[in-house]
């Protein structure tokens, strides 16, 4: 697969603060890539460097085969961006702003624009200063989705949107993927990434800590298991078991994926009345990456 | 009450440089011009001659006000400060008040504060306290400065109070206006319009009739304190009463409306953009056209007024024999020309104020959404700079045309239109230099962009006080305004405007180049 974004060893400091400290990121063309990290991890800084708004201090950055700093205006024809903190022109209406941004990009599609305004239930006649945060974000999002950009950079686009709009957004993203567009979606809302992304990169304090498909990442982690057995057994000695809680015949625990097989053999020997297990949610992945070293 | 004091501390923390710098500038301005004027008029007869001369000229009386005691050196020394100086104090009061009321609210900072256990009235009360404190300090320091400059004690205190009164009155006006508009820009604009109107009210009252009209104008109140010429302390009752009533009105409005809302409602706008809105330049024009049209109308009007009164200047002057006073102010040949050249150079400075603030929009509009679109940095920068550069040109052209048409009609010579248009346009290169300086700072050090105002002020003070303080010529030559030919009247020199334009062009190029190399934000 051809790459849309390839970043390695990216460094950016603001004064004494090292916002990015050797960050790596690879996004293939046509995938929806989740870019996860807690607030202040460096997500927005990375996106701004990908757009050539900020200049990288070290490392290599390639976007759609170009250098985002050198070829900024050229690349921007093929990229659409939704900032995390959308600032609009207070005395222009939402409709005017969408049109302006579309025309600057060159190929505005009136039909797509109208459909998106409808779907996101935006009132385009309101002055931008009267919009809420969520509505400001919708303006930027509609302008981005209505464009025919190859690459969408979305910085926490659903922050401030209600759940209904969030699900509309997910539908749109699925359509973008089918249309073959590449999306880099930064977020700290895990359910969002889990629902729409093919692959995920997790960063922390300006460094990449994990990257891969969701199943790749789950592979590294534990499965939560809850079971009611026929006869009580002692599982404390079993390797790979964590957070064991046993009350009579009821047990709940977490088990490393490598030892799942051993656990099931023990269960089978004891007899199982009921069993539930679920793969780790991204919340749990996150806790593992950011919780342990605190 | 405790919360209010916390907010006052927060405001003082935010303004720890702005307030002292601004107040000091006023004090230096007042004391400097007093210290410079006193030695010019050592005898009573020289004072009477100069004062009667100025009082006999409607144009000067309209611009500055009357001298109520021709024998008083103090009254003569502070005549500019009582009129134009007071107007600057009013601008200061407006900016400070809007900054701590509507600007905070628009930026959402007030929302943050409003969610804490702070009374609804506290933010406004804090802003009023800050304004009160700033004006009291201004009064005390100004009075001390004037006394130090050698003026009588009582008059100096009254003058300090007069300035503080004007400041408080406009703090009150701005506090009310801030409740009405939804944006800080509109609040400053509307308050400044009120200032313009009341300045004209007192100008009419002083230069024409009826005299009671001046009592409708807070600027007029300031002058009716008559410092060094009767010292009417009781005017303080009017000004303080007005300020208190305005603050109470603002408070009544503030507690009745929603956070973020204004009383002047927003209208709906078009759902789609006009076909012309398709480039950064079109966007810059859309954002700047309203203010530019207001500026343009003011310049045309001012030009017509200057042209209209200019021909009366000469008669009064020859009669009163205070010729050297105005020739010292600017021109060298005929008095009408000297007057016009003085007014044109003054409006040239005001046009540069327009140019600087229009170019500063570059920083305010440095929008990620726009710059992430396929818009090159240079193209973005040139959009607002085009408005700034051509806007200055439009303003000065209207000024020249207005003055030329009115003056030409007075003396029956239509050729004056072209003569004064040329004289007005000669002022442009200096204003463009200021636009260039703004661009350089925007490109290289955007965080200290506001410092350009200090540079502009320094240039103006060099021109105003430099000759009086007998500064070295090379120091005064630092100001671009020093190199503008004094037209009409003096000989036209081609080199200085060309060189200034070249400097402006180079500064713009340097600034844009620096902007292309820096990080955004």
């Amino acid at each position: 697969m051809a790459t849309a974004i390839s970043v390695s060893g990216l460094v950016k400091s603001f004064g004494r603060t090292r916002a990015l400290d050797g960050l790596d990121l690879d996004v293939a063309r046509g995938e929806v890539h989740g870019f996860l990290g807690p607030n202040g991890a460096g997500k927005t800084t990375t996106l701004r460097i990908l757009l050539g708004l900020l200049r990288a201090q070290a490392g290599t950055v390639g976007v759609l085969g170009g250098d985002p700093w050198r070829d900024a205006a050229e690349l921007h024809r093929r990229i659409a961006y939704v900032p995390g903190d959308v600032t609009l022109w207070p005395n222009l209406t939402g409709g005017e702003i969408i049109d302006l941004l579309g025309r600057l990009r060159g190929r505005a599609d009136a039909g797509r624009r109208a459909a998106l305004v409808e779907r996101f239930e935006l009132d385009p006649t309101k002055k931008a200063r009267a919009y809420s945060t969520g509505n400001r974000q919708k303006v930027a999002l509609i302008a981005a989705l209505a464009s025919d950009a190859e690459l969408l950079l979305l910085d926490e686009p659903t922050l401030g949107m209600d759940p209904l709009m969030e699900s509309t957004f997910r539908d749109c993203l699925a359509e973008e993927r089918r249309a073959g567009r590449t999306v880099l979606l930064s977020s700290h809302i895990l359910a969002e990434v889990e629902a729409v992304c093919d692959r995920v990169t997790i960063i922390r304090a300006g460094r990449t800590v994990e990257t891969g498909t969701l199943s790749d990442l789950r592979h590294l982690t534990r499965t939560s298991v809850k079971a009611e057995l026929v006869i009580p057994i002692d599982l404390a000695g079993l390797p790979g078991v964590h957070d064991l809680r046993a009350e009579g015949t009821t047990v709940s625990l977490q088990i490393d994926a490598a030892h799942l097989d051993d656990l099931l053999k023990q269960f089978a020997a004891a007899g199982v009345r009921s069993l539930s297990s679920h793969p780790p949610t991204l919340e749990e992945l996150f806790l593992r990456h950011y919780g342990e070293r605190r | 009450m405790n919360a209010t004091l916390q907010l006052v501390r927060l405001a003082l923390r935010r303004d720890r440089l702005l307030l002292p710098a601004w107040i000091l500038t006023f004090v230096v301005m007042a004391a400097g011009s007093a210290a410079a004027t006193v030695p010019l008029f050592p005898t009573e007869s020289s004072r009477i001659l100069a004062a009667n001369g100025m009082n006999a000229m409607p144009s000067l009386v309209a611009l500055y006000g009357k001298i109520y005691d021709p024998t008083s050196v103090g009254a003569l020394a502070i005549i500019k400060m009582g009129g134009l100086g007071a107007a600057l104090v009013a601008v200061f009061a407006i900016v400070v008040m809007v900054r701590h009321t509507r600007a905070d609210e628009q930026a959402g900072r007030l929302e943050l504060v409003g969610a804490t256990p702070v009374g609804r009235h506290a933010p406004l009360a804090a802003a009023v306290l800050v304004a009160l404190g700033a004006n009291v300090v201004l009064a005390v320091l100004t009075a001390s400065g004037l006394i130090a400059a050698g003026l009588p004690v009582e008059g100096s205190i009254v003058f300090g109070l007069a300035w503080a009164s004007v400041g408080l009155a406009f703090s009150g006006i701005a506090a009310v206006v801030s409740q009405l508009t939804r944006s800080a820009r509109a609040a400053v604009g509307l308050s400044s319009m009120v200032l313009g109107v009341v300045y004209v009210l007192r100008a009419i009252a002083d230069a024409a009739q009826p005299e009671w009209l001046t009592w409708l104008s807070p600027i007029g109140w300031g002058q009716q304190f008559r410092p060094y010429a009767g010292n009417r302390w009781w005017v303080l009752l009017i000004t303080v009463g007005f300020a208190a009533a305005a603050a109470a009105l603002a408070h009544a409005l503030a507690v009745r409306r929603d956070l973020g809302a204004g009383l002047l409602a927003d209208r709906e706008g078009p759902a789609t953009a006009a076909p012309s809105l398709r480039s950064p330049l079109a966007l810059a024009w859309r954002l700047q056209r309203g203010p530019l049209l207001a500026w343009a109308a003011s310049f045309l009007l001012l030009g017509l007024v200057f042209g209209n009164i200019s021909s009366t200047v000469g008669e009064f002057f020859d009669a009163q024999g205070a010729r050297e006073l105005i020739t010292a102010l600017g021109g060298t040949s005929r008095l009408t020309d000297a007057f016009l050249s003085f007014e044109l150079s003054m409006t040239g400075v005001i046009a540069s104020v327009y140019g600087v603030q229009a170019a500063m929009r570059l920083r305010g509009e440095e929008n990620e959404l726009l710059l992430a679109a396929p818009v090159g940095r240079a193209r973005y920068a040139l959009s607002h700079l085009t408005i700034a550069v051509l806007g200055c040109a439009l303003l000065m052209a209207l000024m020249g045309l207005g003055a030329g048409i009115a003056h030409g009609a007075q003396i029956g010579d239509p050729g004056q239109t072209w003569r004064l248009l040329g004289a007005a346009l000669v002022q442009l290169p200096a204003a463009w230099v200021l636009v260039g300086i703004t661009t350089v700072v925007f490109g290289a050090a955007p965080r200290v962009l506001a410092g350009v105002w200090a540079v502009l002020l320094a240039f103006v003070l060099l021109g105003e006080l430099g000759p009086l303080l007998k500064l070295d010529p090379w120091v005064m030559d630092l100001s671009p305004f020093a190199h503008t030919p004094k037209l009409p009247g003096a000989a036209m020199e081609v080199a200085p405007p060309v060189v200034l334009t070249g400097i402006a062009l180079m500064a713009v190029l340097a600034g844009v180049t620096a902007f292309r190399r820096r990080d955004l934000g």
Side-chain angles (χ1 to χ4, degrees), chain B residues 120-514:
Chain B
R120 294 182 71 83
H121 64 279
L124 179 62
V128 168
L129 282 178
V130 169
L132 182 65
N135 279 300
V136 168
V137 172
L138 175 70
V140 170
L141 292 183
T142 303
S144 314
L146 291 174
I147 293 167
L151 293 182
V153 174
E154 189 188 358
S156 299
I157 297 173
V158 170
F159 180 79
L161 286 177
W163 257 10
S165 288
V166 172
L168 279 180
F170 277 92
S171 299
I173 289 169
V176 173
V177 171
S178 283
Q179 307 305 319
L180 302 179
T181 65
R182 287 194 60 148
S183 79
R185 204 185 292 276
V188 171
L190 202 57
S191 305
S192 304
M193 262 173 63
V194 172
L195 171 59
V197 169
V198 301
Y199 203 88
V200 170
L201 272 185
R202 69 131 281 279
I204 295 172
D206 284 349
Q209 290 292 331
E211 267 182 40
W212 57 262
L213 217 52
T214 200
W215 292 103
L216 297 183
S217 164
I219 299 284
W221 299 338
Q223 294 177 328
Q224 291 309 316
F225 271 91
R226 301 196 178 175
Y228 310 105
N231 295 327
R232 294 151 94 174
W233 293 81
W234 53 264
V235 181
L236 197 61
L237 294 176
I238 300 177
T239 56
V240 170
F242 174 84
L249 175 60
H251 175 257
L253 293 171
V255 296
R256 273 172 185 75
R257 68 178 179 83
D258 291 341
L259 189 67
L263 291 183
L264 310 176
D266 264 329
R267 281 167 309 180
E268 280 195 346
T272 55
S276 59
L277 186 62
R278 57 187 320 117
S279 67
L281 181 60
L283 176 65
W285 166 244
R286 170 71 196 271
L287 296 172
Q288 297 221 26
R289 69 185 176 192
L292 177 59
L293 291 180
W295 277 83
S298 317
F299 264 64
L300 181 61
L301 206 66
L302 211 58
L304 289 169
V305 169
F306 286 150
N308 207 32
I309 57 181
S310 60
S311 56
T312 63
V313 172
E315 306 157 20
F316 285 111
F317 250 119
D318 285 338
Q320 301 299 332
R323 186 183 280 264
E324 59 282 20
L325 192 70
I326 202 152
T327 46
L329 289 174
T332 48
S333 84
R334 287 172 39 223
L335 286 169
T336 300
D337 280 351
F339 171 78
L340 282 170
S341 136
F342 170 66
E343 302 300 352
L344 286 179
S345 68
M346 199 182 74
T347 50
V349 173
I350 302 176
S352 75
V353 170
Y354 171 79
V356 168
Q357 65 89 31
M360 279 186 175
R361 288 295 286 268
L362 275 175
R363 180 65 176 159
E365 303 295 340
E366 199 178 309
N367 186 313
E368 272 189 289
L369 217 46
L370 184 65
L371 287 159
V375 171
R377 297 234 186 147
R379 196 162 154 232
Y380 165 71
L382 292 178
S383 68
H384 285 283
L385 288 174
T386 304
I387 306 280
V389 166
L390 296 186
C392 287
L394 174 71
L395 296 184
M396 288 316 292
L398 288 173
M399 168 63 59
L401 285 176
I405 289 169
H407 182 53
Q410 286 273 324
I411 63 171
D413 172 15
Q416 290 296 329
T417 308
W418 307 115
R419 185 164 170 261
L420 291 187
L421 176 62
L425 292 179
V426 161
Q427 314 291 330
L428 273 176
W432 286 341
V433 168
L434 266 299
V435 172
I437 293 173
T438 311
T439 315
V440 167
V441 180
F442 162 73
R447 275 162 223 281
V448 295
L449 191 58
V452 175
W453 292 121
V455 174
L456 175 57
L457 189 68
F459 287 159
V460 172
L461 290 180
L462 279 180
E464 286 281 312
L465 302 180
L468 294 170
L469 299 175
K470 300 195 174 59
L471 293 179
D472 272 346
W474 72 265
V475 178
M476 290 191 274
D477 279 351
L478 289 176
S479 163
F481 302 113
H483 304 283
T484 300
K486 295 190 178 355
L487 295 184
M492 171 65 191
E493 294 171 78
V494 179
V498 170
V499 172
L500 286 177
T501 307
I503 292 173
L505 197 64
M506 267 156 40
V508 164
L509 285 177
V512 171
T513 307

Side-chain angles (χ1 to χ4, degrees), chain A residues 87-157:
Chain A
T87 312
L88 302 176
W89 297 273
N91 51 348
L92 266 61
T93 66
E96 286 180 305
I97 292 169
I98 293 170
D99 284 346
L100 171 69
L101 292 173
R103 287 170 190 170
L104 288 175
R105 192 161 275 113
R107 299 168 294 268
D109 182 338
R112 249 178 102 74
R113 171 198 189 276
L116 285 163
V117 167
E118 180 95 356
R119 272 174 88 175
F120 280 99
E121 296 172 19
L122 179 80
D123 177 357
T125 64
K126 263 191 173 177
K127 294 277 170 83
R129 69 169 140 261
Y131 284 135
S132 65
T133 313
N135 277 328
R136 287 205 304 273
Q137 238 145 0
K138 281 186 203 169
V139 170
L141 198 55
I142 291 171
L145 292 174
S147 76
D148 62 353
E150 295 162 45
L151 172 63
L152 299 177
L153 299 180
L154 311 177
D155 193 2
E156 314 227 4

